[in-house]
Amino acid sequence: MAKDAEKSTWKDFIWNSRTREFCGRTGSSWGLILLFYLVFYIFLAGMFCLTMYVMLQTLDDYKPTWQDRLGTPGMMIRPRGQAMEISYNTTNTETWDMYIKTLDNFLSPYNNSLQAEKNEECTPDQYFIQADSGDVKNNPKRSCQFNRTFLEKCSGLDDHTYGYQAGKPCIIIKLNRVIGMLPGKDGQAPFVTCGAKKEDSDKIGEVEYYPENGTFNLMYYPYYGKKAQVNYSQPLVAIKFLNITLNEDINIECRIISNNIPPGSVRDKFAGKVSFKLRINTKG
Amino acid sequence: MFEMNGEVDVKMKKKKKIKKKDRLEGMKKEMDIVSVIHKTRRRESWREYGLTSSKAAEVLERDGPNELLPPKGTPEYVKFARQLAGGLQCLMWVAAVICFIAFGIEFSRGTLGCFDDLYLAITLITVVVVTGCFGYYQEFKSTNIIASFKNLVPQQALVIRDGQKNQINAMDLVVGDLVEIKGGDRVPADIRIIFAQGCKVDNSSLTGESEPQSKTPECTHENPLETKNIAFFSTTCLEGVATGTVINTGDRTIIGRIASLASGVGNEKTPIAIEIEHFVDIIAGLAIFFGFTFFVVAMFIGYAFLEAMIFFMAIVVAYVPEGLLATVTVCLSLTAKRLARKNCVVKNLEAVETLGSTSVICSDKTGTLTQNRMTVAHLWFDNVIHAADTTEDQSGQSFDQSSETWRSLARVAGLCNRAIFKPNQESLPIPRRIVVGDASETALLKFTELAIGNMMEYRERFKKVVEVPFNSTNKNTLMLSVHELEDPMDLRYLLVMKGAPERILERCSTILIKGQEMPLEEQWREAFQTAYMDLGSLGERVLGFCHIYLNENEFPRGYKFDSDEMNFTTSGLCFAGLISMIDPPRATVPDAVMKCRTAGIRVVMVTGDHPITARAIAANVGIITEGSETVEDIATRKRIPVEQVNRRDARACVISGGQLKDMSSEELDEALRSHPEMVFARTSPQPPSSPPLIIVESCQRLGSIVAVTGDGVNDSPALKKADIGIAMGIAGSDAAKNAADMILLDDNFASIVTGVEQGRLIFDNLKKSIAYTLTKNIPELTPYLIYITVSVPLPLGCITILMIELATDIFPSVSLAYEKAESDIMHLKPRNPRKDRLVNESLAAYSYFQIGAIQSFAGFTDYFTAMAQEGWYPLLCVGLRSHWENVHLQDLQDSYGQEWTYAQRLYQQYTCYTVFFISIEICQIADVLIRKTRRLSIFQQGFFRNKVLVSAIVFQLLLGNLLCYCPGMPNIFNFMPIRGQWWFVPIPYGILIFVYDEIRKLGVRRHPGSWWDQELYY
């Protein structure tokens, strides 16, 4: 009995034919309340749009308002491999072919012809500052050439396999772009240095840096943002392992050495440094 | 006797099979057994020898110690486990388990930030356990109060064993023991009296009757509670001595059985418990519904199973108001504390609110409505009725005391009196002093002490020669004594006498008028009759007083007066006057009853007194209002038989215990429905049909929320059955206190009214607190919904949500409990428990879809601001999630072409959490301000009147700052030090909330009953 009563009240709640109520409200009641909420939300959405609009008006198109998180620029390698792990077999082309393709793709904008066409030659070893004069923006801003040939043996021009086939792979290192960053003071350019982690230190062998000493030339800084500086070419450093121990995992860490880049957060493994694992197999 | 016990045991075993519902019936049967017991044969030899020690030890072994065992409670760990397994708690356990699983999987993958899941799981478990501990502690504390009451009186008993009297611990008494009791002792077990001398016991702890009962060896009644030869465990022997055999010990005593009956009566769920349960069910249901829906949606969109599970967990965490139960508990205990300061100790926290929804109070008369002490109310002398001062503190008007007759009357009243003050009480005010003696003599002693001065010394001056006390056994309704006069030269003796007025008058031949002895003519007899009737109709107990100076020659000094032979003049006396006494109402009661009436609460009086007395007191305190008539009144006025009166015309009704017994429950319901003013008089205290229990059940059938006051053990079933049982702290028995939800420390009815007021206030304020607490669940939930559907970087993390729920918002929500009432809540009717819900549709809709929605928009505005100002434009954020959360992507480009590592993005995400958190906080400040009132403008209520709320807001801001700017927070609670500007982004929305709510309230006030009022007033 009780159950029946309960059932009927449930049914009554959903559709009460006597009072013509659906879920406890009549049609006109539903209409009114929905209309109220419609108006309410339109108003809210309007207010949201207004505040967002006001906020967007405060933004500068060329430079973010704050750069709180970007004190220490991140570093990254190419090719990235699977989860910062580069391993291949010299005898098996397929295992390293994708690295070659990645590098080819990555370096194609740096072809000398393209660079010459779009960018200009700047004075090295000094910041390439293009200041705005007051409200008049000095846009678009010009960029300096970074020619693929700067990477010499790692440019992939002479050796199309970037040394992968020979077991002397090239890894390209880049420093994350941060608007307005000046990565060295007193004319001292930042440079990259790589080393193996402790237990692997004798296995890394000789490492060569291109451009010389692994420096990022100061003329590529500061960066003015993708809108002002459309053709910006990010400077690169390539490292080549000349006689790395084969058939073993080797943990390598590269870090940027600069006199004004603060050491990044302990928790950020990619702020001002980059670690990766390299394994070159020779046996089939 | 032992066979009888065996039978009882069989009965007990049978009883266990009987369902709880039938236990009342079972109780009746057991009572019959007791009445058989008291008729069993006596064993004369015991009278001197008692039991042997070995036999006693044997019986003790069999029956167990003579003590009331507390009702078998659930084991402590079960109680604790129950606290951990509520609806919401279970959800949180599930969420914690999901967190653990997620942590396990992510940890094995070595993901950065996987420890967040572990922290979250630990936090969730901590929350559940801490709230559990809190609830458990509350429960534990309330039982502890009872334990402390119980330990108050350690009992000793004088027992005769092996022919020797020994003082032993009452716990060691066994059936068959021979015990002696004397005035002042507590009866150590149920005993059958085999010898008594002037023994009177106070059964008030058992039956609530304050009149002492005399105990004699005769069996005078079938009913064990009525018969004179059984004294009950826990009652007090007032005077005299008695010897008896123990017939029942421990839980088998009457009191023990009533207690166990009481524990068998189902405890009604309190209205607030029903409300909260109802609401928690809905919340839990919705949380699962939302969680599951988005789990399915997430799976459908293509998230991995683990991710979808984490979404489910996050939605549960976001939607469940974790801090709510704690808030409710704290609010209730704050009120409980406030009440405790006003002499109401609340055992069961939820009872605080119950009192607010009470619509009927069944009040015991003695001690609750009245002062529980006989006091002289009126005097009749010189043919005038004089009113005495009956107030507790003697602040009232006194009568003219210049008459000579008054002096004589006072002398008779003072001398013909056996009551004495206990020594060393000189510092106490006279009404508070403890007196040894019966109620009316006590009243007279205190009265004369107040009027004349030191009575002890006064009596010294009139040296007592002989006295013949009241003796109920030889039907002597008079008391007389003979005194020497204070003047040593006057050698006459003075005989003073008091007693039932008509019997006194019979013995008088003269009457004192204005100090002159006049012959007792017919005119004076008529005047006496009128005065006697008048006083009687006030429900007062009237005593007559007379005296005579004995003839010096007939009774010279040294005459041997013999109290048995009565060898002296006892007629032809001189009538001095009448004194009437009553247990007067407490001064605060009429006012309190009036308040109850305006608050729409019916007060029903239940008393063991005579209907006339009951009626008089009821009229006196306003339970029966002026002009209300009973059926009998109408009959007398119209001079028609009672049967012809239309029962509906009578507002008031006095029902005696006998009538009640004969009424069917339908008749009682009908009577309660048709007569708003009810008094139940001369109710028999027998427990199986305990009148309060019947009345409570009847009221509850009529849909009322019933409060019952009581003090006797026999009240405990009714106390338990009632929605809120109120026990008396001073007069109340342990069993009553155990069964009650609340204890009135001062036994004062007026305290109940305070309780009602506080209960109503807390209901209103809980509504506000809950509305406040619920609101923020929407801005906590929407980030996840947007995150899942639009794939923006997560705006608000689970740990941040928990910080809002459990840290910053707790204090403000509790502070709403300190809010003053918006209107005069004592002029409203009690809430209808079926209609006026704690959380109703409009409260939820307003909190969730309006204020909650505004808060969500505020949060997102601030979120997008923080993102955009750091380089991530809103449109870029949409769909960014998979890249944003890619652990291996260390150079993700923002809107300006800058490249971000994963950790940088993660800290940016924490910044977003913090910004969203701050937005919710700012909006919640506006929210707590608007929640101060539901109808009035906040300007009418006053911004700063609630100091606690103001400090709560300050606290909230400080805590918010601490979380944001304390070093180390990013890696512990995912809070980042945010830019000061971002604190101001949500402020327009805060103002919007405030202004919008003021508009809402204005509409509600201006247009009561309108669509606006119906939809937006919660």
Side-chain angles (χ1 to χ4, degrees):
Chain A
M1 278 304 283
K3 260 188 183 173
D4 283 357
E6 222 162 76
K7 251 186 193 171
S8 72
T9 52
W10 255 108
K11 268 186 193 163
D12 267 6
F13 177 71
I14 292 170
W15 171 248
N16 187 339
S17 50
R18 191 168 41 80
T19 50
R20 305 190 62 73
E21 281 175 350
F22 172 69
C23 290
R25 285 174 185 276
T26 60
S28 58
S29 168
W30 271 113
L32 260 176
I33 196 77
L34 290 179
L35 182 71
F36 172 82
Y37 275 106
L38 185 69
V39 172
F40 184 82
Y41 284 124
I42 287 176
F43 173 78
L44 264 188
M47 178 151 170
F48 178 70
C49 292
L50 182 77
T51 45
M52 289 300 284
Y53 177 77
V54 169
M55 184 271 292
L56 291 174
Q57 291 308 300
T58 65
L59 297 179
D60 187 323
D61 282 348
Y62 302 100
K63 192 177 188 307
T65 321
W66 318 109
Q67 291 172 296
D68 298 324
R69 304 282 89 79
L70 301 176
T72 309
M75 273 172 81
M76 201 51 202
I77 54 165
R78 287 292 186 278
R80 269 196 327 203
Q82 282 272 316
M84 311 304 287
E85 214 178 310
I86 298 162
S87 84
Y88 69 95
N89 196 322
T90 46
T91 53
N92 188 352
T93 321
E94 280 167 29
T95 55
W96 46 266
D97 192 39
M98 54 193 175
Y99 299 131
I100 308 301
K101 275 189 184 140
T102 312
L103 287 175
D104 279 343
N105 272 335
F106 181 71
L107 290 178
S108 60
Y110 291 93
N111 283 341
N112 290 19
S113 54
L114 224 62
Q115 287 291 321
E117 188 185 312
K118 286 181 176 169
N119 296 340
E120 58 190 80
E121 287 188 43
C122 319
T123 326
D125 301 329
Q126 68 181 50
Y127 293 126
F128 183 44
I129 292 173
Q130 305 163 68
D132 298 327
S133 47
D135 283 346
V136 185
K137 299 270 187 209
N138 176 16
N139 286 344
K141 305 214 191 284
R142 290 157 296 145
S143 307
C144 298
Q145 289 179 4
F146 187 95
N147 291 331
R148 193 167 175 173
T149 46
F150 292 176
L151 299 178
E152 298 173 39
K153 286 182 195 164
C154 284
S155 64
L157 299 174
D158 305 328
D159 175 5
H160 289 289
T161 67
Y162 299 91
Y164 279 74
Q165 193 169 29
K168 299 174 178 177
C170 282
I171 305 283
I172 291 172
I173 294 173
K174 68 189 192 66
L175 191 64
N176 278 358
R177 289 195 293 264
V178 174
I179 291 177
M181 181 178 69
L182 302 170
K185 58 180 181 189
D186 309 328
Q188 286 188 4
F191 62 94
V192 174
T193 168
C194 293
K197 294 206 174 141
K198 260 186 194 167
E199 63 274 16
D200 300 336
S201 52
D202 48 343
K203 298 174 191 160
I204 187 169
E206 207 175 326
V207 181
E208 240 171 38
Y209 299 88
Y210 315 100
E212 213 181 327
N213 298 331
T215 52
F216 293 110
N217 200 300
L218 291 182
M219 66 178 172
Y220 299 104
Y221 300 97
Y223 173 53
Y224 286 103
K226 72 175 177 188
K227 192 165 180 188
Q229 208 170 9
V230 183
N231 294 323
Y232 180 70
S233 296
Q234 199 168 6
L236 306 171
V237 167
I239 52 172
K240 193 173 178 70
F241 298 96
L242 296 179
N243 51 356
I244 193 161
T245 309
L246 302 176
N247 299 320
E248 261 186 77
D249 280 355
I250 298 163
N251 288 297
I252 297 157
E253 188 184 78
C254 297
R255 38 176 75 242
I256 185 94
I257 307 292
S258 159
N259 52 11
N260 69 348
I261 291 178
S265 155
V266 190
R267 296 190 155 225
D268 192 351
K269 289 186 203 145
F270 297 91
K273 62 191 174 201
V274 58
S275 318
F276 57 94
K277 199 192 270 177
L278 193 58
R279 184 187 179 101
I280 303 164
N281 294 324
T282 49
K283 291 153 200 162
Chain B
M1 190 151 326
F2 300 130
E3 299 91 64
M4 292 316 300
N5 262 292
E7 206 175 322
V8 172
D9 283 344
V10 172
K11 282 274 172 187
M12 295 288 263
K13 271 176 206 161
K14 270 187 190 167
K15 197 177 78 178
K16 278 178 190 164
K17 289 178 195 162
I18 303 170
K19 282 182 184 173
K20 275 188 178 176
K21 275 182 194 171
D22 301 330
R23 286 187 72 171
L24 283 178
E25 295 304 314
M27 186 74 197
K28 264 182 196 161
K29 282 176 199 153
E30 281 180 40
M31 283 299 168
D32 297 340
I33 295 163
V34 178
S35 41
V36 178
I37 290 171
H38 74 258
K39 281 191 228 161
T40 50
R41 62 204 183 277
R42 297 180 194 169
R43 292 192 189 171
E44 293 295 330
S45 60
W46 283 358
R47 199 177 269 198
E48 288 80 36
Y49 192 74
L51 287 181
T52 59
S53 308
S54 55
K55 180 75 187 169
E58 196 182 297
V59 180
L60 184 65
E61 179 78 14
R62 189 195 62 193
D63 290 349
N66 173 33
E67 60 180 346
L68 289 186
L69 294 174
K72 209 173 189 183
T74 27
E76 296 301 306
Y77 66 91
V78 174
K79 278 188 198 166
F80 188 64
R82 220 176 269 161
Q83 295 284 350
L84 297 182
L88 294 185
Q89 282 87 339
C90 284
L91 268 183
M92 308 240 293
W93 283 117
V94 172
V97 168
I98 295 175
C99 281
F100 271 127
I101 296 170
F103 165 72
I105 293 173
E106 288 187 353
F107 184 72
S108 63
R109 286 184 195 159
T111 317
L112 180 66
C114 66
F115 280 96
D116 288 355
D117 280 322
L118 182 65
Y119 296 150
L120 187 59
I122 292 170
T123 321
L124 283 173
I125 292 171
T126 316
V127 169
V128 175
V129 172
V130 168
T131 5
C133 288
F134 201 68
Y136 175 74
Y137 173 69
Q138 282 297 344
E139 208 180 302
F140 178 76
K141 219 173 61 176
S142 71
T143 47
N144 221 15
I145 293 175
I146 290 312
S148 64
F149 275 119
K150 259 195 166 161
N151 294 333
L152 275 181
V153 202
Q155 276 195 47
Q156 294 286 307
L158 191 63
V159 65
I160 302 170
R161 279 183 190 168
D162 304 328
Q164 283 176 340
K165 287 187 185 179
N166 291 313
Q167 191 83 20
I168 64 162
N169 194 323
M171 260 169 56
D172 299 328
L173 278 185
V174 295
V175 171
D177 258 332
L178 200 57
V179 292
E180 268 185 20
I181 50 172
K182 58 179 191 307
D185 286 353
R186 268 180 69 176
V187 179
D190 279 2
I191 57 174
R192 180 163 48 74
I193 308 287
I194 54 178
F195 165 76
Q197 192 172 38
C199 175
K200 282 189 175 174
V201 295
D202 174 11
N203 270 355
S204 61
S205 71
L206 186 62
T207 61
E209 289 172 290
S210 53
E211 280 294 287
Q213 313 272 308
S214 63
K215 291 289 166 193
T216 55
E218 290 101 53
C219 173
T220 56
H221 204 284
E222 284 292 300
N223 186 335
L225 280 161
E226 304 270 329
T227 184
K228 285 196 186 282
N229 67 334
I230 296 200
F232 299 104
F233 187 29
S234 87
T235 59
T236 316
C237 178
L238 292 175
E239 57 185 79
V241 289
T243 311
T245 53
V246 173
I247 54 172
N248 275 317
T249 57
D251 286 336
R252 287 171 301 279
T253 56
I254 295 288
I255 200 168
R257 287 173 200 205
I258 295 170
S260 74
L261 172 71
S263 63
V265 173
N267 210 344
E268 296 287 303
K269 261 189 187 157
T270 58
I272 194 85
I274 295 170
E275 290 292 333
I276 290 175
E277 227 164 70
H278 162 87
F279 150 81
V280 161
D281 282 352
I282 291 178
I283 293 279
L286 281 176
I288 292 173
F289 172 76
F290 273 121
F292 189 72
T293 311
F294 277 87
F295 175 78
V296 172
V297 168
M299 290 295 279
F300 193 72
I301 292 176
Y303 288 105
F305 179 76
L306 179 68
E307 276 181 305
M309 282 307 280
I310 292 176
F311 293 160
F312 174 81
M313 179 272 300
I315 284 168
V316 167
V317 170
Y319 191 71
V320 169
E322 286 87 358
L324 186 81
L325 292 182
T327 306
V328 171
T329 318
V330 172
C331 287
L332 288 177
S333 46
L334 279 175
T335 310
K337 245 186 166 173
R338 216 177 299 164
L339 281 175
R341 242 176 283 139
K342 293 176 178 168
N343 290 324
C344 304
V345 172
V346 179
K347 271 176 58 193
N348 176 359
L349 269 190
E350 287 155 354
V352 172
E353 192 282 324
T354 314
L355 210 46
S357 25
T358 297
S359 48
V360 175
I361 300 177
C362 283
S363 179
D364 197 30
K365 189 205 82 164
T366 316
T368 314
L369 296 172
T370 63
Q371 300 171 15
N372 195 19
R373 57 186 184 92
M374 272 294 174
T375 305
V376 172
H378 293 97
L379 302 96
W380 180 76
F381 59 83
D382 292 349
N383 198 17
V384 177
I385 292 178
H386 301 269
D389 179 11
T390 54
T391 55
E392 283 140 288
D393 50 359
Q394 294 298 312
S395 55
Q397 284 283 319
S398 197
F399 54 94
D400 174 30
Q401 299 186 347
S402 58
S403 165
E404 196 60 35
T405 319
W406 152 244
R407 286 230 220 106
S408 302
L409 180 58
R411 189 170 62 189
V412 179
L415 293 179
C416 188
N417 193 334
R418 292 172 64 199
I420 50 163
F421 287 112
K422 280 195 174 170
N424 306 323
Q425 300 191 85
E426 283 73 20
S427 56
L428 284 174
I430 292 161
R432 303 257 306 276
R433 290 186 199 165
I434 299 167
V435 176
V436 184
D438 77 10
S440 59
E441 297 210 318
T442 303
L444 289 169
L445 173 64
K446 286 182 174 174
F447 178 67
T448 46
E449 179 88 8
L450 279 167
I452 310 178
N454 195 334
M455 278 320 288
M456 298 297 116
E457 195 192 294
Y458 187 79
R459 286 188 200 161
E460 290 286 303
R461 281 188 270 148
F462 295 84
K463 216 169 149 236
K464 190 188 285 174
V465 182
V466 73
E467 107 183 321
V468 181
F470 281 122
N471 190 343
S472 43
T473 45
N474 59 16
K475 307 285 180 215
N476 186 356
T477 55
L478 302 172
M479 169 176 172
L480 61 86
S481 56
V482 180
H483 299 260
E484 290 173 10
L485 288 177
E486 66 181 320
D487 179 3
M489 302 308 291
D490 195 342
L491 293 178
R492 286 179 298 172
Y493 284 105
L494 174 68
L495 185 147
V496 287
M497 191 192 283
K498 72 174 175 192
E502 63 274 16
R503 301 289 300 277
I504 292 287
L505 199 71
E506 279 170 17
R507 291 167 187 262
C508 291
S509 55
T510 56
I511 182 167
L512 268 185
I513 298 293
K514 303 246 157 73
Q516 300 298 312
E517 222 171 294
M518 316 262 273
L520 193 60
E521 288 160 3
E522 197 53 35
Q523 121 191 46
W524 298 121
R525 285 185 188 276
E526 263 170 35
F528 163 87
Q529 276 304 334
T530 324
Y532 183 28
M533 292 292 285
D534 283 354
L535 293 176
S537 70
L538 292 174
E540 299 177 359
R541 181 192 296 170
V542 191
L543 286 177
F545 296 83
C546 63
H547 70 176
I548 192 171
Y549 291 98
L550 295 177
N551 190 319
E552 204 175 339
N553 303 326
E554 212 173 321
F555 303 98
R557 273 292 142 104
Y559 180 82
K560 277 238 178 279
F561 291 96
D562 187 336
S563 63
D564 291 330
E565 302 264 316
M566 304 278 269
N567 53 354
F568 44 84
T569 319
T570 53
S571 59
L573 282 72
C574 172
F575 190 83
L578 296 172
I579 297 181
S580 68
M581 280 153 290
I582 198 162
D583 180 10
R586 287 162 176 271
T588 45
V589 168
D591 205 32
V593 171
M594 191 63 211
K595 273 188 185 161
C596 284
R597 203 177 288 281
T598 48
I601 302 169
R602 260 174 99 172
V603 183
V604 173
M605 187 167 108
V606 182
T607 174
D609 283 348
H610 192 271
I612 294 178
T613 317
R615 220 213 121 152
I617 291 288
N620 220 327
V621 298
I623 289 175
I624 293 179
T625 46
E626 240 180 286
S628 295
E629 290 176 311
T630 61
V631 175
E632 290 77 17
D633 291 337
I634 296 175
T636 4
R637 179 165 55 83
K638 293 188 176 166
R639 292 168 201 220
I640 48 173
V642 174
E643 293 76 35
Q644 289 179 16
V645 178
N646 182 359
R647 297 204 149 261
R648 299 200 167 268
D649 292 344
R651 275 180 61 78
C653 183
V654 180
I655 294 180
S656 74
Q659 288 169 294
L660 185 64
K661 213 175 247 173
D662 297 336
M663 284 172 116
S664 67
S665 43
E666 289 78 26
E667 281 170 329
L668 181 61
D669 290 0
E670 179 55 31
L672 277 165
R673 220 185 325 234
S674 52
H675 306 292
E677 296 165 2
M678 293 285 287
V679 171
F680 293 91
R682 192 144 273 175
T683 47
S684 132
Q686 181 149 10
S689 56
S690 166
L693 189 59
I694 295 171
I695 298 162
V696 168
E697 281 170 341
S698 183
C699 290
Q700 283 176 338
R701 271 199 299 276
L702 295 175
S704 306
I705 304 273
V706 187
V708 169
T709 72
D711 44 16
V713 172
N714 61 320
D715 293 328
S716 47
L719 287 174
K720 207 140 189 223
K721 179 76 190 165
D723 297 284
I724 174 166
I726 304 167
M728 298 299 135
I730 302 169
S733 57
D734 290 348
K737 283 172 185 164
N738 220 335
D741 304 297
M742 208 168 107
I743 296 164
L744 290 186
L745 289 184
D746 57 357
D747 290 14
N748 190 344
F749 184 79
S751 309
I752 300 178
V753 179
T754 323
V756 169
E757 193 169 356
Q758 292 295 333
R760 289 186 175 187
L761 184 59
I762 198 64
F763 185 81
D764 272 13
N765 286 347
L766 268 184
K767 223 172 185 176
K768 295 171 182 174
S769 274
I770 289 176
Y772 171 80
T773 311
L774 288 188
T775 310
K776 61 177 177 285
N777 285 333
I778 290 301
E780 286 166 4
L781 187 63
T782 43
Y784 271 96
L785 308 190
I786 299 295
Y787 168 69
I788 294 170
T789 51
V790 189
S791 293
V792 295
L794 184 60
L796 188 65
C798 285
I799 294 180
T800 325
I801 289 173
L802 287 180
M803 292 310 283
I804 299 174
E805 291 280 354
L806 300 171
T808 54
D809 274 13
I810 287 280
F811 194 17
S813 58
V814 168
S815 74
L816 283 168
Y818 288 93
E819 202 54 50
K820 296 268 181 303
E822 278 175 67
S823 55
D824 198 344
I825 39 177
M826 290 308 276
H827 280 109
L828 303 174
K829 285 219 146 28
R831 77 183 174 95
N832 179 340
R834 265 176 245 120
K835 275 195 210 145
D836 310 329
R837 311 303 301 257
L838 181 66
V839 177
N840 53 23
E841 203 179 293
S842 50
L843 182 145
Y846 185 67
S847 300
Y848 280 158
F849 301 128
Q850 298 181 31
I851 304 299
I854 299 177
Q855 294 194 350
S856 306
F857 276 105
F860 277 104
T861 308
D862 214 0
Y863 162 77
F864 281 123
T865 305
M867 285 297 274
Q869 293 197 334
E870 293 283 3
W872 304 88
Y873 282 12
L875 285 178
L876 181 68
C877 292
V878 174
L880 188 63
R881 197 192 85 94
S882 56
H883 290 307
W884 182 273
E885 290 183 353
N886 184 344
V887 193
H888 305 301
L889 192 59
Q890 303 298 340
D891 46 4
L892 184 66
Q893 277 196 32
D894 66 12
S895 306
Y896 290 95
Q898 304 183 100
E899 291 167 321
W900 294 59
T901 66
Y902 175 75
Q904 285 164 348
R905 295 195 302 269
L906 191 65
Y907 283 113
Q908 175 61 23
Q909 190 174 322
Y910 291 167
T911 308
C912 293
Y913 293 178
T914 313
V915 156
F916 216 102
F917 164 81
I918 290 303
S919 307
I920 293 179
E921 287 314 298
I922 298 285
C923 289
Q924 281 294 79
I925 289 175
D927 195 24
V928 77
L929 286 174
I930 66 165
R931 300 298 184 184
K932 278 164 73 76
T933 55
R934 290 189 292 143
R935 178 180 287 273
L936 289 186
S937 162
I938 186 166
F939 298 102
Q940 288 169 302
Q941 182 83 348
F943 256 105
F944 303 109
R945 280 252 301 278
N946 185 347
K947 296 279 187 299
V948 183
L949 192 135
V950 176
S951 48
I953 293 174
V954 173
F955 169 81
Q956 191 181 13
L957 283 172
L958 288 179
L959 194 60
N961 272 296
L962 179 81
L963 287 172
C964 288
Y965 300 113
C966 180
M969 280 298 171
N971 301 324
I972 306 171
F973 294 125
N974 304 350
F975 279 88
M976 293 292 284
I978 57 162
R979 295 256 160 204
Q981 290 87 335
W982 294 331
W983 284 77
F984 296 95
V985 177
I987 285 181
Y989 289 93
I991 295 171
L992 175 69
I993 289 175
F994 187 82
V995 172
Y996 174 62
D997 196 59
E998 277 298 313
I999 294 171
R1000 177 189 73 88
K1001 288 171 192 162
L1002 187 73
V1004 167
R1005 282 199 306 277
R1006 287 277 170 86
H1007 306 288
S1010 64
W1011 178 86
W1012 185 269
D1013 185 23
Q1014 281 168 15
E1015 296 292 347
L1016 295 179
Y1017 179 66
Y1018 57 89

